[in-house]
Amino acid sequence: MHSTFETAKQKLKTKNINLSHQRLKVLEYLTKNTCHPTVEQIFSDLQKDIPTLSKTTIYNTLRILTETGIVKAVKIDDKEIRYDIITENHGHFKCEGCGMILDFSIDTDSMIAEGLEEFVIKDKSVYFKGVCPSCLSKYK
Amino acid sequence: MHSTFETAKQKLKTKNINLSHQRLKVLEYLTKNTCHPTVEQIFSDLQKDIPTLSKTTIYNTLRILTETGIVKAVKIDDKEIRYDIITENHGHFKCEGCGMILDFSIDTDSMIAEGLEEFVIKDKSVYFKGVCPSCLSKYK
DNA sequence: AATTACAGTGTAATGATTACAACTTTGTAT
DNA sequence: ATACAAAGTTGTAATCATTACACTGTAATT
């Protein structure tokens, strides 16, 4: 079984997308950091390895990875878009207290959308909001 | 049975929020226009009635209505936030072709999130993306 | 009438994202 | 190898929805 990283590389090859140094680094970063990083986080961390790195490259690469279906944009927060390597069906929970974003298992395949029988559905996103146990205990 | 508009008014009263002219107009607009309007749409339409209206008032009012739980922000689109009077559990479908946003019935109450047993869940959002029948027929 | 609190308005600031032009690297054919 | 073309990267400037803020107006209470 291939790793997420190898699978993604394979997918890019079949779509004739060049595996440049910067693109591989972004991909590697996302496979290692599944904490839904922002562009700023990806940029400032990778800049340590690649001092000449530009933020535009991060944006360009994430656009390509999103279009290819390797990465998914998480828009649970208002300001910054977060990015997530697509692994399996899961939803995102955001705590209103600490802002933490947590993955949770949910079977989106079994979700039935009444009235969309004639529609082609390409993507399903599930966002929950509330308070995490750690923040709950603070208000007790 | 009260109308959506009356129910919302009641809810604001119990929370000691003043039913000013502008606020009532925004509320009325949202009950009549359930097409998920943007701030720009709400503003430019209401400006016809209230020539002195300020866009900041729309933003302020929508913030209050969202905090009170009367209105829900729909963030399926990238740029502008859309607003939706909360009626019943439903998801939002966005067509990648024409950009149309459609409500669909989905039972969010029955959704089980594995691993969130100790969490308080206050809000659930379901977003689907794909192609609507009208756009599908164009590519045939 | 004076005071206080709340609501509305308009302008300025913010800040993530995008557009764009210049530069660099890579690949390819001669 | 060398020259040329294509693709990738970089940095700066522009965009634009949203927010901050200070000022103005209004309503209520005494």
Side-chain angles (χ1 to χ4, degrees):
Chain A
M1 166 72 186
H2 272 188
S3 68
T4 314
F5 184 57
E6 292 299 327
T7 312
K9 270 185 12 183
Q10 209 61 38
K11 203 165 183 177
L12 288 170
K13 268 184 194 163
T14 60
K15 297 221 177 188
N16 278 331
I17 292 163
N18 229 319
L19 302 174
S20 74
H21 182 231
Q22 283 87 338
R23 287 176 184 169
L24 282 174
K25 280 289 180 186
V26 171
L27 200 53
E28 187 197 27
Y29 185 88
L30 289 172
T31 52
K32 286 182 180 171
N33 301 83
T34 56
C35 56
H36 325 96
T38 63
V39 167
E40 183 57 39
Q41 288 172 311
I42 301 168
F43 173 69
S44 61
D45 281 350
L46 287 184
Q47 211 182 19
K48 294 164 193 163
D49 283 350
I50 315 163
T52 61
L53 187 64
S54 166
K55 207 176 262 185
T56 304
T57 301
I58 308 292
Y59 277 106
N60 287 339
T61 304
L62 288 171
R63 185 173 40 73
I64 288 167
L65 294 176
T66 304
E67 282 169 4
T68 320
I70 291 170
V71 160
K72 188 167 168 174
V74 179
K75 290 168 191 169
I76 198 170
D77 202 352
D78 312 5
K79 270 194 136 58
E80 296 157 298
I81 301 174
R82 294 169 174 279
Y83 292 90
D84 203 19
I85 280 264
I86 294 177
T87 48
E88 59 192 12
N89 278 346
H90 67 270
H92 292 106
F93 172 91
K94 181 174 185 193
C95 175
E96 290 169 355
C98 58
M100 170 209 66
I101 294 172
L102 188 79
D103 289 352
F104 61 84
S105 274
I106 194 157
D107 184 15
T108 52
D109 290 332
S110 70
M111 282 182 187
I112 297 153
E114 254 180 82
L116 298 187
E117 289 79 14
E118 305 295 316
F119 291 59
V120 172
I121 295 168
K122 293 187 179 177
D123 181 68
K124 297 177 177 180
S125 296
V126 179
Y127 298 133
F128 285 9
K129 281 182 194 169
V131 187
C132 74
S134 166
C135 284
L136 277 173
S137 65
K138 283 174 194 159
Y139 300 119
K140 266 181 188 161
Chain B
M1 165 74 188
H2 272 187
S3 67
T4 315
F5 184 58
E6 291 300 327
T7 312
K9 268 183 17 182
Q10 209 60 38
K11 203 165 184 178
L12 288 170
K13 267 183 195 163
T14 60
K15 296 220 176 188
N16 279 330
I17 292 163
N18 229 317
L19 301 175
S20 73
H21 183 230
Q22 283 87 337
R23 286 175 184 169
L24 283 173
K25 280 290 181 185
V26 171
L27 199 53
E28 187 196 26
Y29 184 88
L30 288 172
T31 52
K32 286 182 181 169
N33 301 83
T34 56
C35 56
H36 325 96
T38 62
V39 167
E40 182 58 39
Q41 288 173 312
I42 301 168
F43 173 69
S44 60
D45 281 351
L46 288 184
Q47 211 181 19
K48 295 163 192 163
D49 283 351
I50 315 162
T52 60
L53 186 64
S54 165
K55 206 176 263 184
T56 304
T57 301
I58 308 293
Y59 277 105
N60 287 338
T61 304
L62 289 171
R63 185 174 39 73
I64 288 167
L65 294 176
T66 305
E67 282 168 5
T68 321
I70 291 170
V71 160
K72 188 167 169 173
V74 178
K75 289 169 192 169
I76 198 170
D77 202 352
D78 313 3
K79 271 194 134 58
E80 295 157 297
I81 300 173
R82 294 170 173 279
Y83 291 90
D84 202 18
I85 281 264
I86 295 176
T87 48
E88 58 193 13
N89 279 344
H90 66 271
H92 292 106
F93 172 90
K94 180 174 187 193
C95 175
E96 290 169 353
C98 59
M100 171 210 65
I101 293 171
L102 189 79
D103 288 353
F104 62 83
S105 274
I106 194 156
D107 184 15
T108 52
D109 290 332
S110 70
M111 283 184 188
I112 297 152
E114 255 180 79
L116 299 186
E117 288 79 14
E118 304 295 316
F119 290 60
V120 172
I121 295 168
K122 293 187 178 176
D123 179 70
K124 297 177 178 182
S125 296
V126 180
Y127 297 133
F128 284 9
K129 280 182 194 170
V131 187
C132 74
S134 166
C135 285
L136 276 174
S137 64
K138 283 175 195 159
Y139 301 118
K140 266 181 189 163

